[in-house]
Amino acid sequence: MSPEAQVLMVLSWLVLVKFLQVALWPRLAGALGEYAAPVAYPASVLIYGAVSWYAALAGLPVQTALAPFVALAGYALYRGEYTREALRSALIWDAVFLAFFAAMLSARFVTPSISFAEKFMDHAFLASVMREPVVPPLDPWFAGGTLDVYYYLGYWIAGVLGVTAGVPSTVAYNLALPTIAGAAAVTAYATGRLLVPRLPWAPLAIFLLMNPAFIREVVIGTPVAKVLWNSTRVIDGTINEYTFFSFVWGDLHPHVSGIAVQFLLIFLIAYALCRWEESGERARWTVVGLSALALGSMPAINSWDVLLYAPVIVAVGLLIWRRHGDLRYLLAVPPLGIALYAPYYLMLNGAGVKGPGFVTAPSDPVQFLFVHGFFLAVLIALLLPEIRRMPALLLVPVPFALAGYLAAGIAALPLAVLLARRKVSPEAFLCAAGLVIVIVCEFVYLQDNMGETYFRMNTVFKCYSVAWILLGTGTLVAAGKRLAGVVRPERVSAAQWRALGAIAALVLVIIPFTVPIGYGSGTHTLDGAAWIAEQHPGDAEAIAWLRTQEGDLTLVEAVKGDYTYYSRVSSFTGIPAVLGMPFHEQMWRNDWPEIAQRKNDVQAIYEDPSRTLSLMEKYGVTHLYVGDLERSHYQIALPSEGLVPAYNAGGVTVYIRQ
């Protein structure tokens, strides 16, 4: 894939994203004013994803979703709403979006490979959507099955953007991540402009901050390539990701796809708490509608998020009711969010979790502080005057400590101080929400099939990612307000601020080229599959050929362990295989007898010529793949009749069933 082709793909993708934003923005301007432009970035992409999903459900091409945006843009042009002044006022928002898009694009250009961790899964789902955008999408690792067993809307949105922009899945993967980063950053900056206008950049620091464990790893001399990874494996038996790591690590996983939605909802929450009284009916209903759009998408993008944000939305609604006597946010947002995505929910067929469990082995307090210590230290420092006025609150951690849950007690202290306030500011509300999440994680987890050692791994992993964003945004805004009163940012001219912003953006783009992170294989391309051509040229050519084949195809390839090079054909083509990544399928389907049967049948297809054709027919297999992995894993013995080589090159033969 030539550099020129990749540049055109980036431009095509950006033009599409910008068109969606520009089309929606004027319709929000009457309600949100200057904040319409930043909100339109994530909101327009969410709407495009939802409309394209409904289009596919109706049997229409996903590009049909462009029609309402074309109509919106045409209407805005007719009304003369794209004035020079309006476009100029939006430049700052475009600059923030593009700065973080470019920084993440730079990181993906340096480490582009889709080659380990959850990346095989992420691309497999993306490729499935893009190959055949049907509802629900086909499961690439379970022939005959669909992705209704998993929350797939994030992959769907990235996929339909790729289909519409004409970008292949291996590049769309590395453009989706920068888009998420840009959309999240621009709404984080909007939150800064809203809550701390004298230092609006404060919330953006969350995209650059590492946890205290990162500092520890640097101090003890951990190799650079392992520092980030080790900083997310701190509390025993859990994963402790944070925003910076999630983007640098580069999994296009649900918890990452949902980051932009979280920052959109955080802005809307802050806006509702700040501006509800002065807002007119149109603004209030716009905030309600956008909040419903964001909240309703969460179960479809990353279901863990809605478990945490639904109570937050209820709390916001109660605060608005108490302060302004208006129940619409409380009563309208949850049901409207459900209604917007109701067909998706009704189709969802996941095995789910087994219910809540009680944590009997809580976090080690020191490990807990290595994860949350930075924000806790800053927050407690900001709250010291209040703690001095209410010293009795220092006793709050005691009962937690006596019960053996000291980590929860540490977080309970600042929470108690915040709750003792007569009026809770938006940033205090965000901090309190984050603190409640980390405290609850010390007592409750959702049971799954991860085993005894990692019994609360998923709970801590998904919940801490959300808590980091809530607590981090609230703390950074509060610190920004305190800092703005000390450094007097108004002494810096607008031109100087723009220059500083440009320098910061340039530094963000350059840094990935200077830090030897070394995740994955291959570099200096946006093609996430380029590494296969270097390390497995035979597979690369065969996969490229299969990607050109049209129709309802099903293939069989070697099956072994998860997180390996096995299942590489289905992962990089999106063509469903009889079975791929067995442990993942077990987590989603909770049907080990069926999975084990498929694994045995795949082996029989390759090794028992008397059953090859009948088993291929059983699963609707059209293509049988024989490469180096298959030869090393099975004693290949295929029937002499009934199979025709359709492809034979580079040590790979692909047979089709007659």
Side-chain angles (χ1 to χ4, degrees), residues 206-422:
I206 197 168
F207 297 97
L208 306 174
L209 286 175
M210 284 74 81
N211 64 19
F214 179 92
I215 307 301
R216 178 192 62 184
E217 295 296 322
V218 172
V219 171
I220 65 177
T222 301
V224 174
K226 295 183 179 180
V227 169
L228 272 175
W229 177 266
N230 289 359
S231 71
T232 64
R233 270 63 182 173
V234 182
I235 298 176
D236 293 338
T238 69
I239 297 175
N240 320 124
E241 278 199 25
Y242 48 94
T243 308
F244 177 82
F245 174 88
S246 296
F247 280 124
V248 173
W249 190 246
D251 287 348
L252 187 60
H253 215 52
H255 72 285
V256 177
S257 297
I259 288 176
V261 182
Q262 288 190 60
F263 278 101
L264 170 61
L265 195 52
I266 285 172
F267 168 79
L268 294 169
I269 288 169
Y271 191 91
L273 293 176
C274 281
R275 301 283 182 88
W276 196 264
E277 185 173 9
E278 64 191 68
S279 297
E281 288 296 301
R282 180 179 178 183
R284 292 182 179 185
W285 280 114
T286 298
V287 171
V288 166
L290 290 171
S291 297
L293 174 72
L295 183 68
S297 73
M298 284 181 168
I301 294 176
N302 183 32
S303 295
W304 289 86
D305 291 348
V306 77
L307 299 178
L308 306 175
Y309 277 96
V312 169
I313 290 297
V314 170
V316 172
L318 290 172
L319 281 173
I320 292 173
W321 176 43
R322 189 181 73 177
R323 293 176 181 178
H324 311 292
D326 192 337
L327 278 168
R328 83 183 77 186
Y329 197 90
L330 177 64
L331 298 182
V333 172
L336 183 57
I338 293 172
L340 287 172
Y341 296 90
Y344 177 94
Y345 303 152
L346 293 173
M347 290 183 182
L348 198 60
N349 192 34
V353 295
K354 302 174 184 177
F358 187 73
V359 177
T360 56
S363 304
D364 176 270
V366 175
Q367 295 175 349
F368 182 83
L369 288 174
F370 271 119
V371 176
H372 304 290
F374 173 74
F375 292 137
L376 287 173
V378 172
L379 186 56
I380 290 174
L382 294 172
L383 295 175
L384 275 179
E386 295 172 70
I387 294 174
R388 291 194 184 101
R389 290 197 303 270
M390 299 178 287
L393 291 176
L394 291 171
L395 297 176
V396 167
V398 174
F400 291 93
L402 293 176
Y405 293 84
L406 178 56
I410 294 171
L413 173 59
L415 177 62
V417 178
L418 293 172
L419 295 179
R421 291 177 170 178
R422 292 184 177 180

Side-chain angles (χ1 to χ4, degrees), residues 362-601:
S363 304
D364 176 270
V366 175
Q367 295 175 349
F368 182 83
L369 288 174
F370 271 119
V371 176
H372 304 290
F374 173 74
F375 292 137
L376 287 173
V378 172
L379 186 56
I380 290 174
L382 294 172
L383 295 175
L384 275 179
E386 295 172 70
I387 294 174
R388 291 194 184 101
R389 290 197 303 270
M390 299 178 287
L393 291 176
L394 291 171
L395 297 176
V396 167
V398 174
F400 291 93
L402 293 176
Y405 293 84
L406 178 56
I410 294 171
L413 173 59
L415 177 62
V417 178
L418 293 172
L419 295 179
R421 291 177 170 178
R422 292 184 177 180
K423 186 175 181 180
V424 179
S425 64
E427 62 269 22
F429 179 86
L430 297 175
C431 288
L435 290 169
V436 168
I437 291 171
V438 298
I439 291 171
V440 169
C441 284
E442 290 301 300
F443 295 95
V444 179
Y445 71 100
L446 293 181
Q447 301 178 67
D448 52 29
N449 54 7
M450 295 301 294
E452 294 183 6
T453 301
Y454 302 103
F455 70 99
R456 67 178 187 134
M457 184 191 77
N458 263 329
T459 299
V460 171
F461 173 21
K462 302 298 172 54
C463 294
Y464 272 21
S465 297
V466 172
W468 179 273
I469 290 173
L470 286 167
L471 180 59
T473 301
T475 302
L476 289 169
V477 167
K481 285 186 173 181
R482 185 69 59 87
L483 187 60
V486 175
V487 300
R488 301 179 64 85
E490 63 271 12
R491 292 180 177 178
V492 181
S493 69
Q496 289 172 322
W497 277 120
R498 286 194 294 270
L500 288 172
I503 293 171
L506 183 61
V507 169
L508 289 177
V509 171
I510 292 174
I511 284 178
F513 290 91
T514 63
V515 179
I517 296 176
Y519 295 147
S521 307
T523 185
H524 294 81
T525 179
L526 290 177
D527 182 0
W531 66 278
I532 303 179
E534 298 176 5
Q535 298 186 19
H536 308 278
D539 283 337
E541 293 176 7
I543 287 171
W545 176 78
L546 280 168
R547 286 170 67 94
T548 66
Q549 305 304 297
E550 299 179 353
D552 296 328
L553 309 183
T554 301
L555 62 85
V556 61
E557 61 179 321
V559 177
K560 199 176 181 183
D562 294 38
Y563 306 105
T564 67
Y565 186 58
Y566 285 84
S567 305
R568 79 281 193 200
V569 184
S570 51
S571 296
F572 283 95
T573 63
I575 299 173
V578 174
L579 182 64
M581 303 284 182
F583 177 67
H584 279 77
E585 289 293 344
Q586 168 62 11
M587 285 193 294
W588 303 326
R589 299 179 183 277
N590 195 28
D591 187 1
W592 184 249
E594 170 66 16
I595 294 167
Q597 181 63 55
R598 287 183 176 233
K599 187 175 181 180
N600 292 335
D601 285 348

Side-chain angles (χ1 to χ4, degrees), residues 60 81 138 232 330:
L60 299 172
E81 293 173 321
L138 305 180
T232 64
L330 177 64

